[in-house]
Amino acid sequence: MTHAHHEVVNPATGEVIETVPATSAAEVDAAVARAAKAQEGWAAAAPADRARLLRRFAGVVDEHIEELARLEVREAGHTIGNARWEAGNVRDLLDFAAGGVERLTGRQIPVAGGLDITILEPLGVIGVIAPWNFPMPIAAWGTAPALAAGNAVLLKPAETTPLTALRLAELALEAGLPEHLFQVLPGAGDVTGNALVEHPGVAKIVFTGSTRVGKSIMATSAPLVKRVTLELGGKSPNIVFADSDLQAAAAATPMSFLDNSGQDCCARTRILVQRSVYDRFLDLLAPAIESVVVGDPADEKTQMGPLISQVQLDRVRSYVPDDLPGIRGSAPDGPGFWFAPTVLTDIAPDAPAACEEVFGPVAAVLPFDDEADAIRLANATDYGLSGSIWTRDIGRALRVSRAVAAGNLSVNSHSSVRYSTPFGGYKQSGLGRELGPDALTAFTETKNVFISTEA
Ligand code: NAD
């Protein structure tokens, strides 16, 4: 089915704020042809010039941080503080990628009878399919390094959050990037997104979203052996050992799963606490949860805003029957898609809320006995994206970091994502890595050339 338009709704009020045309499969086809042409010129340009243009793009984004942040608040309901950080993250990603253009070097490998070199060549046209939970940063995770490595990018934002992406495409042109090199194609996943995945002219798909759709994209890509990077779901553990600074661990726990209203693939939604400090930890956690400020995301003091949509609200509610025991914070009544911060206590480890990705402000707390038990529980999931380990024992911190099967771990911290460090999932949380020192390489083919010295 072709959708002609999408309504963009402000999640804090439920009101329609904009109507955006959807891109048909035929329009995707035309966009791929334009992008392929633009990419040829871009790949042929001097690396220093490509780097300069990307830095200029970063500069123009920097001049529009407040505007982009306000747009993010309106279409995604993010708190204004977070939204400013997210717009700044786009600038930083572009700057970081620009620094890589002239450092994308191949190797010279010792061989007999000649000289052997590797060349990192751009793939061509890249399709970036983004989710609604972090519309700006995730769009830029794929776009910035792909452009830096000499590719063109077609970005399909989520149906609910196309506005910042469309604005970024305008800013790219303002910065002087060649026309058609970076195009934004709003539309439905099964139409516009699928057209990108099926198109033989799109060399690689970078997809961030649900594990279900990620698997279908991998299957659709198989007949063409299309390259994919997949960033999928998570159910990450927050492991609190008895020897940790318990006050610090409890104080940091609320925002480890409430940031962005829990709509975060890295949210630490399984709080694993050593049994000997379980009750004390809950006593410290309860007031911290109850004092989280939930409300108007445009208010500077707000820590947590609404969920993205009615669909998401219904989904989160389905996981949390009223009679489940737990700690609950507060949320506004009235219009908008609000759900109060919730920690479920006395929940079975195999209950849906304890093992499925809820993608809302809901965590389950589970006791464990010792280090081996903590590792067993932490790994008892098909996901493997993030996780945190709270302990004062440095040997234990390292042992557990090695034993937990997840791509992004933090010790005595909940940080997961930095543009300068690699990010991605183990198991069904994803395939491939983004960000970090090798971000550009993911958008290249390695060509090996042997030159004989015998002729
Ligand atoms: P989603 O899978 O529903 O949609 C993601 C994107 O894919 C959207 O743009 C959508 O339009 C598109 N899409 C849907 N069906 C498609 C199809 N058949 N072909 C091509 N494109 C299609 O996910 P969502 O609900 O927008 O995002 C939430 C999910 O994203 C959560 O599971 C979350 O964990 C995950 N996520 C993962 C990361 C990570 O880095 N690992 C980061 C953020 C979000």
Side-chain angles (χ1 to χ4, degrees), residues 129-134 138 141 156-160 187-197 205 207-214 216-217 220 230-234 263-266 312 315 357 359 383 385 423-425 429-430 434:
I129 301 178
W132 47 259
N133 64 330
F134 290 107
I138 292 177
W141 290 4
K156 195 208 84 66
E159 292 87 326
T160 38
D190 56 357
V191 180
T192 315
N194 190 57
L196 281 173
V197 180
I205 294 290
F207 169 81
T208 305
S210 59
T211 297
R212 183 184 62 81
V213 175
S216 84
I217 285 179
T220 310
L230 304 174
E231 299 285 3
L232 310 175
Q263 303 165 123
D264 181 340
C265 51
C266 294
Q312 195 61 17
R315 190 180 131 82
E357 186 180 47
F359 229 50
Y383 292 120
L385 193 55
F423 179 81
S429 282
E434 293 187 272

Side-chain angles (χ1 to χ4, degrees), residues 58-419:
V60 174
V61 169
D62 191 49
E63 287 160 15
H64 292 81
I65 297 277
E66 193 61 24
E67 182 203 332
L68 288 164
R70 296 275 161 199
L71 211 48
E72 187 95 311
V73 172
R74 288 183 71 218
E75 75 169 338
H78 290 194
T79 61
I80 182 66
N82 278 12
R84 285 188 190 116
W85 182 90
E86 287 161 36
N89 188 239
V90 176
R91 171 204 56 214
D92 296 344
L93 282 155
L94 287 165
D95 262 332
F96 184 65
V101 176
E102 291 173 282
R103 295 173 177 82
L104 195 57
T105 51
R107 295 158 126 183
Q108 178 263 313
I109 299 163
V111 290
L115 182 71
D116 194 283
I117 56 168
T118 63
I119 306 169
L120 301 183
E121 296 189 336
L123 295 170
V125 178
I126 308 295
V128 176
I129 301 178
W132 47 259
N133 64 330
F134 290 107
M136 270 193 287
I138 292 177
W141 290 4
T143 301
L147 291 175
N151 302 279
V153 171
L154 299 175
L155 166 64
K156 195 208 84 66
E159 292 87 326
T160 38
T161 54
L163 300 183
T164 48
L166 288 164
R167 188 68 186 121
L168 284 171
E170 291 171 359
L171 297 180
L173 289 179
E174 199 178 312
L177 255 71
E179 224 189 342
H180 309 314
L181 185 71
F182 170 44
Q183 301 173 59
V184 173
L185 312 175
D190 56 357
V191 180
T192 315
N194 190 57
L196 281 173
V197 180
E198 285 185 336
H199 203 293
V202 175
K204 175 168 185 169
I205 294 290
V206 180
F207 169 81
T208 305
S210 59
T211 297
R212 183 184 62 81
V213 175
K215 287 177 181 176
S216 84
I217 285 179
M218 206 173 171
T220 310
S221 299
L224 291 168
V225 198
K226 186 170 294 194
R227 281 83 179 115
V228 289
T229 293
L230 304 174
E231 299 285 3
L232 310 175
K235 189 74 184 174
S236 297
N238 169 13
I239 311 170
V240 182
F241 285 98
D243 68 8
S244 66
D245 178 340
L246 215 56
Q247 286 207 325
T253 291
M255 294 320 286
S256 78
F257 73 97
L258 297 176
D259 195 54
N260 205 26
S261 310
Q263 303 165 123
D264 181 340
C265 51
C266 294
R268 273 54 167 184
T269 52
R270 290 186 300 142
I271 309 169
L272 312 181
V273 184
Q274 195 151 16
R275 204 178 293 277
S276 57
V277 293
Y278 185 84
D279 289 340
R280 223 179 106 222
F281 182 80
L282 287 192
D283 286 347
L284 291 167
L285 184 60
I289 294 287
E290 285 154 10
S291 64
V292 171
V293 182
V294 183
D296 178 4
D299 186 328
E300 305 276 346
K301 291 190 292 298
T302 295
Q303 291 174 282
M304 189 184 116
L307 292 164
I308 186 76
S309 62
Q310 186 65 46
V311 173
Q312 195 61 17
L313 179 58
D314 293 343
R315 190 180 131 82
V316 173
R317 277 187 183 144
S318 74
Y319 279 103
V320 190
D322 286 340
D323 56 353
L324 270 187
I327 305 165
R328 289 191 171 77
S330 60
D333 295 324
F337 314 121
W338 302 98
F339 196 90
T342 301
V343 176
L344 299 170
T345 53
D346 299 312
I347 184 167
D350 59 352
C355 52
E356 292 174 22
E357 186 180 47
V358 178
F359 229 50
V362 179
V365 58
L366 298 164
F368 67 85
D369 293 315
D370 55 18
E371 193 176 306
D373 197 27
I375 292 165
R376 182 189 59 76
L377 267 174
N379 286 335
T381 169
D382 289 335
Y383 292 120
L385 193 55
S386 297
S388 306
I389 300 146
W390 289 78
T391 176
R392 285 181 167 123
D393 179 337
I394 200 164
R396 163 171 285 159
L398 290 171
R399 280 194 305 276
V400 178
S401 297
R402 296 298 298 270
V404 173
N408 317 279
L409 295 168
S410 46
V411 175
N412 297 329
S413 156
H414 293 297
S415 105
S416 287
V417 186
R418 278 166 241 86
Y419 60 80

